[in-house]
């Protein structure tokens, strides 16, 4: 089975003219970093200053879902990124950093706010099977 998969991937690159870098870049662009803003002590010119910084909590994958005639951008991640009762983790918002900001400092770009809950109403949805650690949220552009 493993050899069949490798053969299919190689045929895809040869027949379609894609390089490995093109193929990998396509999937990397859909991955996001999900985190929170924290205070960080940073040393600047022999002085310690406190700045806001992006703190990674997890990752997710973005894609589109078609619902009737509407195309909805979605983010899928582990459910424990949005909610973890054992650790009393239930944020109202998180920050998302898209892959095209990977070379930007976590001090210079904190991400885009992702609203998880307003007035105790969840804006994300867990996997229907409670034993599966997956959750999703519709991304609404500003």
């Amino acid at each position: 089975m493993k050899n069949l998969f490798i053969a299919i991937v190689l045929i895809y690159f040869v027949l379609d003219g894609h390089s490995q870098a093109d193929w990998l870049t396509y999937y990397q662009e859909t991955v996001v970093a999900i985190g929170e803003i924290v205070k960080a002590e940073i040393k600047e010119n022999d002085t310690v200053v406190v700045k806001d910084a992006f703190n990674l909590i997890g990752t997710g994958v973005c894609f589109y879902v078609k619902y009737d005639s509407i195309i909805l951008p979605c983010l899928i991640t582990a459910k424990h990124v949005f909610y973890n009762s054992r650790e009393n983790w239930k944020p109202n918002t998180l920050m998302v950093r898209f892959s095209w900001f990977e070379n930007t400092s976590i001090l210079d770009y904190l991400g885009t706010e992702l609203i998880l809950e307003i007035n105790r109403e969840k804006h994300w949805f867990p996997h229907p099977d409670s034993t599966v650690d997956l959750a999703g949220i519709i991304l609404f552009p500003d």
Side-chain angles (χ1 to χ4, degrees), residues 74-86:
C74 298
L75 168 65
I76 301 297
T77 187
K79 182 170 48 179
H80 69 263
V81 171
F82 291 164
Y83 174 75
N84 187 335
S85 61
R86 282 182 267 144

Side-chain angles (χ1 to χ4, degrees), residues 28-131:
Q28 285 175 326
E29 289 175 354
T30 65
V31 176
V32 297
I34 303 168
E36 61 185 340
I37 298 174
V38 296
K39 298 292 183 190
E41 292 184 356
I42 308 297
K43 189 173 184 179
E44 290 181 349
N45 302 325
D46 295 327
T47 304
V48 176
V49 295
V50 177
K51 290 188 170 187
D52 286 341
F54 177 86
N55 180 49
L56 180 68
I57 293 170
T59 59
V61 178
C62 294
F63 62 95
Y64 293 96
V65 173
K66 187 173 181 182
Y67 178 75
D68 290 333
S69 63
I70 302 169
I71 296 177
L72 301 168
C74 298
L75 168 65
I76 301 297
T77 187
K79 182 170 48 179
H80 69 263
V81 171
F82 291 164
Y83 174 75
N84 187 335
S85 61
R86 282 182 267 144
E87 296 181 16
N88 198 27
W89 173 254
K90 187 180 176 184
N92 292 328
T93 64
L94 288 172
M95 302 303 286
V96 174
R97 281 179 49 115
F98 293 91
S99 63
W100 48 86
F101 289 105
E102 71 178 83
N103 293 322
T104 304
S105 167
I106 62 170
L107 300 172
D108 295 332
Y109 179 67
L110 302 174
T112 301
E113 186 176 47
L114 182 64
I115 298 172
L116 301 177
E117 186 176 304
I118 297 176
N119 297 327
R120 299 183 185 228
E121 182 181 333
K122 281 191 317 191
H123 285 243
W124 59 275
F125 47 93
H127 190 280
D129 181 344
S130 64
T131 64

